[in-house]
Structure formats: C-alpha cells, structure tokens
Amino acid sequence: MYKAFKAVLALLVTFAITIPAVAVDVSWDMAMVGPADNKVVDGSVDGYRFGIGTDTDTPQPRVVANFDSICPDLTAGTNELRVAVVIDFGDQTQAPEGETAPESKTACVVVPAGSSSADALAKAAEIRSESGLICGIDGFPATECAAEATVGDITGYRYWGFYTSDPSADPVPISMEAEAVSDVEESSNLLLWAVLTLAVTIFVFVTIRRRLSKN
C-alpha cells in the first residue's frame, strides 16, 4: 500500500506541474500568397513584420489586427475598399548591422475595388522590391533583401513576412492574451499546492497508521 501511495503521489505532482498553458489567438494569419496576389476586401487588415524567419517560427506583427481600432473613422465611396495596414519593423536585435529599426506604424488607406494588398501597401509606405519580393519598407532595411542571418541561436532569412486578418474575426487584445496566460498560471499554482497539501496529509495519516499497526 505504501508503494502504491508513493506512485499515486508522483503521478499527481506530475499532473499538477505539467498543466498546459492556453494559446490566445490575436487573429493574424500567415498569407499563403504574396501581397500582389492577395485581393483585399472592405475592412481588411494587412500586416507586415520584419525579422528572421525559420522553418518553424516566423515573427508576427505585434499590433492587434483590429480594423475598428486602427481606422475607426475611415470611410470609402462607391466601388472603394477600406484597408488598415500594419507595419512592424521588428526587434532591434534582428536589424541589419548599423541600422535602427523604426517604430511600428499603421496606416488607413482606401483603394479601388479589385485592388491587391500590394496596392494598399503602396499607398501606405514607400516600397523597395526585387522580382516581386518586398525588400524594404520606408527605407528599412536600406539595401539587403531576404539575406541569411544568425542572431543568437536563431538562423534563418531576414525578410518581410506578410500577414492577413479576417475582417469577420473577433480579435483578442494583447492585454487580454497576457491576462489569460496569467490566469492559467495562477490556477495551475493553486492546484499544485492543493494536490501537495492533500498528498502530505494522506502521507502523514498512512505513516501514523502503519506505526500504530506495528504496535
């Protein structure tokens, strides 16, 4: 019985420690086509983030993809579409040597129906491209284009990632994302202490009972 109790105790502690954290969606989706091939719709939010992308990780824009909060007063005429453009210049640690990553910016543009994300971006910023690939936005980076780079333990290509957001989605503010993760961590800690307290109580009871049975 004592060995069985120790096995159950170990299982309970392992369960309490390994409770997974929740992932909160901020509504960005990696585009499956380039900006020139992506047709915008009214209320679209297009995002661009500069950074080092790998096979398993591509940095997303750090601005919440919420059209109403970015462009609350934007209006459009007949056969025109409203588009919010988010441009995140990335972390300074991943910027090319000698260059400073500008602050993130947003822009609200109106384009004719049938326009692409590239058309919207061209109205929001100055673009430098090569063979259809976006190399620089508003002069950043100055010269390189999708160059291979290593920063710390991250090795990949430094480029502008393109993201889109479904206008019908209900995005979760980043502040709520942090609160959700914090709530899960707090609940996990409380459960861990409850399990440990129960386990210690049972252990003391079993130990006393074993000693009394020997007497």
Side-chain angles (χ1 to χ4, degrees):
M1 179 179 179
Y2 186 69
K3 291 183 178 180
F5 165 74
K6 290 198 297 183
V8 172
L9 173 60
L11 181 61
L12 288 173
V13 172
T14 300
F15 170 77
I17 293 176
T18 58
I19 295 175
V22 295
V24 181
D25 180 24
V26 294
S27 76
W28 284 117
D29 295 313
M30 186 71 175
M32 296 295 100
V33 296
D37 296 318
N38 185 69
K39 298 300 181 182
V40 297
V41 298
D42 189 60
S44 292
V45 184
D46 289 346
Y48 300 85
R49 167 76 185 268
F50 185 78
I52 298 177
T54 67
D55 292 337
T56 58
D57 182 34
T58 302
Q60 295 185 3
R62 293 166 292 185
V63 176
V64 176
N66 187 327
F67 180 86
D68 290 334
S69 64
I70 297 173
C71 305
D73 302 318
L74 186 63
T75 59
T78 304
N79 295 324
E80 291 183 329
L81 304 174
R82 301 168 302 153
V83 182
V85 180
V86 173
I87 302 173
D88 186 335
F89 293 90
D91 293 327
Q92 179 58 38
T93 57
Q94 296 189 3
E97 185 177 357
E99 297 191 50
T100 300
E103 294 292 327
S104 298
K105 62 178 282 187
T106 59
C108 303
V109 301
V110 175
V111 296
S115 294
S116 67
S117 292
D119 297 325
L121 179 60
K123 296 193 68 172
E126 182 180 345
I127 310 304
R128 177 174 61 87
S129 62
E130 294 180 11
S131 302
L133 177 67
I134 295 176
C135 299
I137 298 179
D138 283 347
F140 182 83
T143 58
E144 73 172 41
C145 188
E148 188 171 4
T150 298
V151 174
D153 58 353
I154 302 175
T155 297
Y157 288 90
R158 193 159 43 205
Y159 65 96
W160 281 100
F162 171 47
Y163 295 82
T164 59
S165 177
D166 181 357
S168 64
D170 185 16
V172 179
I174 292 176
S175 59
M176 291 180 63
E177 176 185 6
E179 290 175 3
V181 173
S182 177
D183 289 344
V184 170
E185 292 176 347
E186 182 177 353
S187 298
S188 299
N189 290 335
L190 290 175
L191 180 57
L192 173 60
W193 281 111
V195 170
L196 290 177
T197 300
L198 177 61
V200 170
T201 301
I202 296 175
F203 176 81
V204 172
F205 174 79
V206 172
T207 301
I208 293 176
R209 185 174 180 180
R210 290 180 70 246
R211 289 180 178 177
L212 290 176
S213 63
K214 290 181 179 180
N215 296 332

